[in-house]
Amino acid sequence: MAAANLTPVTPGVFTRLIRLMPVVTLGLLTLPVVAGLAGIIAPALGWLPALGGESLSLAPWQALGQTPGLGKMISLSLTSGLISAALSLAIVLLFIAAFMETAVFRLVRGLLSPLLAVPHSAAAIGVAFLLAPSGLASRLLSPWASGWAQPPDYLFPGDPFGLALISGLVLKETPFLLLMCLAALPQCQASQRLKVARSMGYSPASAFTKAVLPGLYPLIRLPVYAVIAFASANVDVAIILGPSTPPTLPVAVMRWQTDPDLSLRFLASAGALLQLGVTAAALIIWWLIEQLLASLLTCWRINGKRHQAEQLSRWLGGSLIAALIFLLSAALIGLAMWSVATWWPFPAAWPSPVSLGTWQQATTTLGEPFRHTLSIGFAATALAMVLVIGCLEAETLRTRALSSSAITIIYLPLLIPPVAFLYGLTQWQVQFGLSAGWLAVVLGHTLFVLPYVFLSLSESYRRLDPRWSQLGAALGAKPSRVFWQIKLPLMAAPIGVAAAVGFAVSVGQYLPTILLGAGRLATLTTDAVALSSGGDRRLTAVYALTQLTLPALGFALALGLPRLLRQRRSPRHKKHRPLSA
């Protein structure tokens, strides 16, 4: 055989770029988080020469320890994170156990995109307007059922136990965990496991719990941890629904960070490190509960009982998921009613007269936040999509998936409290004279958009039949052409959904916009959260609905564009050139 035939083929530019994508992606996710955490350690120990801190000291921690209500702040953050995650996971698992592979399951799966399209702050505002003493729920029950001629005297939102906060978190965490379970079910061969267990006489709920759940939970463990970290360190939902005297710890830290009194920066750094510890404690507690349940349920899994609490699980799974969908729908209806209200005294169930005056008034102030939200969302989503698709394409070149450590790094911005590392990044911005503005906010949003895009797209991309690419290569197409003309058209629908999810995540970002934009870059989310603490419900409803409209349009485009592209690529519209051309 000639020596020339043994010469290895030099990879092209496309292949080299694709192979760089995982390195670039992991670096983009790791460096800001690590640098941000490093940026708060020195100020937490009193060292920040720009503000007069020229020696190490425990004074910030002493001041933090003397903060009124600190213990309550910590307990609120810890309990809201654990309880909301537990409730959300229980609702999802009960529903899947009772209705997997049924028409109801397919119906709820179809409603998943609209549920995911609702930003956290818009959902929180809707819940506040629905369940407040003068909210829509009280109006519909008054006075004929409740006897209330005046709004009842109960505290919601802002109750001292954080029940309103937990309800708002559950409302948005449940659709996310359901999405993660739907992506993980094929990986653990759930249908095959369920069929085998059902053939042995197990009821649907018992078959899922004993045969499917042990393989499913390890695949969704990281998303569950991300939910716990998000809930324990959330700011925007806590501002809207959480108590204010005292607030949760992340809200207090954010207020210290943005206070005009610069001396509070030391206190904020100590508080950010404390919040990191609170989130870590919540994750450790959850892990211990996992180990305890695994030990206690081992014997139960193999006890041979085939029908256990079947009706109860079916009733709970169906009623809880129905209540969640109903609550979110009613909250959005309440927002729509408030946005057109001119005069709505209690206990009237309908505003009278109805007017578009608030919408007309808002058009003079909505323009700039709308443009910022749109441009930042597009830019962050586009950057995240390029990086994620590059990483997944690199997997196909190496014929193996990303390692577990790489997957953990992708989750890193979701597992570390944003209030901790984002504030550290603002410290570096000041130290190096970097401008706070649009580009910094886009990069900050990308940190949170990218993990969700990866979670939404990875399973579909990995399940793409490799024979399509092999067929293109056999016909002489280069890897770049196989990618652009075969893989991307076949993946148009999953890519569109992943982009819609990423855009919805960007639209809902509050803390990165406030901190990395130095408060000078207004978006629909920042304005909606600011208005939620004011007295004008009508204007707040307009901003919340406008904020909701953008992700909804994104999901509509994600569902409609792939069909249009398929029609345009059909033989009736276009003659294809041969791949070898």
Side-chain angles (χ1 to χ4, degrees):
M1 183 178 294
N5 294 334
L6 299 176
T7 304
V9 178
T10 304
V13 175
F14 174 80
T15 303
R16 291 198 295 268
L17 287 175
I18 288 296
R19 287 176 177 173
L20 282 176
M21 285 296 182
V23 178
V24 174
T25 302
L26 298 180
L28 178 65
L29 294 174
T30 305
L31 292 178
V33 175
V34 174
L37 292 176
I40 62 172
I41 294 176
L45 295 176
W47 177 265
L48 189 58
L51 296 180
E54 298 180 350
S55 62
L56 296 179
S57 169
L58 293 179
W61 291 95
Q62 294 171 352
L64 181 63
Q66 296 171 2
T67 302
L70 179 63
K72 183 67 173 177
M73 296 179 190
I74 295 173
S75 64
L76 280 170
S77 301
L78 189 66
T79 55
S80 62
L82 290 171
I83 294 175
S84 64
L87 289 175
S88 301
L89 183 62
I91 292 172
V92 169
L93 294 181
L94 280 170
F95 172 72
I96 296 177
F99 295 99
M100 184 177 171
E101 297 186 344
T102 65
V104 175
F105 185 78
R106 290 189 291 272
L107 174 64
V108 173
R109 187 170 187 166
L111 294 174
L112 188 58
S113 293
L115 293 175
L116 289 171
V118 182
H120 287 86
S121 54
I125 293 171
V127 170
F129 285 5
L130 176 67
L131 300 180
S134 59
L136 182 61
S138 296
R139 293 171 183 272
L140 293 176
L141 295 174
S142 302
W144 64 275
S146 64
W148 295 329
Q150 299 294 328
D153 186 17
Y154 64 85
L155 189 59
F156 190 102
D159 63 281
F161 301 105
L163 299 180
L165 172 59
I166 291 172
S167 65
L169 292 171
V170 170
L171 200 63
K172 282 302 296 174
E173 290 169 357
T174 303
F176 169 70
L177 287 179
L178 180 57
L179 175 66
M180 295 300 99
C181 287
L182 292 177
L185 285 173
Q187 298 180 53
C188 67
Q189 299 179 327
S191 297
Q192 295 88 328
R193 291 178 181 227
L194 192 68
K195 289 177 182 177
V196 170
R198 295 283 287 136
S199 67
M200 298 173 67
Y202 284 90
S203 64
S206 296
F208 174 84
T209 307
K210 295 188 175 186
V212 179
L213 185 57
L216 174 66
Y217 186 76
L219 298 176
I220 64 169
R221 179 180 281 114
L222 274 178
V224 171
Y225 288 179
V227 163
I228 296 170
F230 169 82
S232 64
N234 180 266
V235 172
D236 51 343
V237 179
I239 290 176
I240 298 168
L241 295 177
S244 56
T245 51
T248 61
L249 181 58
V251 173
V253 171
M254 192 272 293
R255 290 175 180 172
W256 295 332
Q257 292 171 353
T258 56
D259 195 282
D261 184 0
L262 297 181
S263 64
L264 292 179
R265 299 298 191 273
F266 298 98
L267 180 63
S269 298
L273 277 182
L274 178 60
Q275 178 59 51
L276 180 62
V278 171
T279 300
L283 294 174
I284 292 172
I285 291 172
W286 186 271
W287 181 82
L288 291 174
I289 293 174
E290 285 180 355
Q291 305 309 307
L292 178 62
L293 289 178
S295 301
L296 293 177
L297 297 179
T298 299
C299 295
W300 173 82
R301 284 177 51 201
I302 58 175
N303 62 9
K305 295 183 179 180
R306 288 163 167 75
H307 300 274
Q308 291 183 306
E310 179 68 24
Q311 293 301 320
L312 178 61
S313 63
R314 195 173 185 84
W315 181 84
L316 282 176
S319 59
L320 288 174
I321 205 75
L324 184 143
I325 296 173
F326 174 80
L327 181 62
L328 186 56
S329 302
L332 298 181
I333 292 172
L335 284 177
M337 293 172 68
W338 269 110
S339 72
V340 296
T342 301
W343 175 249
W344 198 0
F346 190 89
W350 181 260
S352 181
V354 174
S355 169
L356 295 176
T358 306
W359 285 94
Q360 295 171 349
Q361 173 191 350
T363 55
T364 59
T365 57
L366 273 172
E368 186 177 12
F370 186 90
R371 288 193 300 271
H372 288 160
T373 304
L374 199 62
S375 63
I376 293 170
F378 274 144
T381 304
L383 179 57
M385 291 297 299
V386 169
L387 294 173
V388 168
I389 293 175
C391 288
L392 295 172
E393 181 64 15
E395 286 186 8
T396 64
L397 297 178
R398 299 173 181 176
T399 66
R400 62 184 179 88
L402 293 174
S403 64
S404 58
S405 58
I407 297 295
T408 304
I409 291 175
I410 289 176
Y411 274 98
L412 199 60
L414 305 183
L415 296 174
I416 303 296
V419 75
F421 74 85
L422 287 177
Y423 178 52
L425 289 178
T426 63
Q427 297 281 27
W428 291 116
Q429 277 184 320
V430 174
Q431 293 293 328
F432 291 104
L434 302 175
S435 60
W438 186 86
L439 180 59
V441 173
V442 167
L443 294 176
H445 280 215
T446 305
L447 289 175
F448 302 97
V449 170
L450 194 148
Y452 287 100
V453 170
F454 184 86
L455 291 171
S456 302
L457 185 59
S458 57
E459 181 58 24
S460 298
Y461 206 97
R462 288 165 178 166
R463 293 176 66 189
L464 180 65
D465 193 338
R467 289 176 294 182
W468 289 108
S469 300
Q470 295 166 3
L471 179 60
L475 293 174
K478 295 181 179 180
S480 58
R481 192 162 187 192
V482 170
F483 175 76
W484 290 109
Q485 294 192 349
I486 295 179
K487 288 187 176 181
L488 288 190
L490 289 172
M491 291 297 300
I495 287 174
V497 172
V501 169
F503 184 71
V505 171
S506 176
V507 170
Q509 290 301 311
Y510 174 75
L511 198 60
T513 309
I514 288 290
L515 294 182
L516 299 178
R520 298 193 294 267
L521 202 67
T523 65
L524 294 174
T525 298
T526 59
D527 283 1
V529 173
L531 288 169
S532 67
S533 58
D536 193 342
R537 288 187 176 183
R538 296 168 298 175
L539 190 58
T540 305
V542 168
Y543 270 80
L545 287 174
T546 308
Q547 179 197 16
L548 166 66
T549 302
L550 287 177
L553 289 176
F555 277 100
L557 288 173
L559 296 176
L561 280 180
R563 297 176 183 175
L564 179 62
L565 291 174
R566 283 196 298 268
Q567 292 176 358
R568 291 179 62 86
R569 290 177 62 87
S570 65
R572 291 177 299 175
H573 293 83
K574 181 179 179 180
K575 290 184 178 180
H576 294 284
R577 293 180 301 160
L579 282 171
S580 57

